Amino acid sequence: TMPITSESARAAATERTMLLKRAFNKYDCDRDGFISVHDLETAFKRQGRQASHAEVVSWVRRKDLSNIGAVCLEDFLASYVK
């Protein structure tokens, strides 16, 4: 196996950020730069996933680190770094 270097760690972090941005864009259905409860419910329906309104609201509240009522990209990324 290859040793972990700062270069490979940087590459992995960049790849992870790209994947998270892609996921964010998939959930930001109206393309306004935020994932709202409505966006997430719409995305889940498109994917055939079932979640109650309460579960979706809970997800948005957990990821909404800025307390704005929706999830911005920065909060989305930060919520997965922890």
Side-chain angles (χ1 to χ4, degrees):
T1 59
M2 290 178 43
I4 301 282
T5 63
S6 60
E7 185 69 29
S8 61
R10 252 196 310 282
T14 300
E15 176 75 12
R16 180 181 169 91
T17 299
M18 280 178 25
L19 291 172
L20 286 169
K21 284 181 179 178
R22 201 173 301 148
F24 179 89
N25 289 331
K26 193 182 296 182
Y27 293 126
D28 178 17
C29 294
D30 61 8
R31 300 284 184 252
D32 66 354
F34 300 92
I35 300 172
S36 65
V37 169
H38 182 263
D39 284 332
L40 196 57
E41 288 177 332
T42 300
F44 279 3
K45 281 181 191 145
R46 288 180 185 164
Q47 297 171 357
R49 292 173 64 178
Q50 299 217 343
S52 71
H53 182 74
E55 288 171 317
V56 173
V57 168
S58 176
W59 184 93
V60 169
R61 283 188 180 145
R62 282 194 317 274
K63 304 282 186 216
D64 177 19
L65 306 176
S66 299
N67 263 343
I68 56 174
V71 183
C72 64
L73 177 61
E74 292 76 20
D75 286 351
F76 187 78
L77 295 174
S79 72
Y80 284 101
V81 171
K82 295 189 226 173

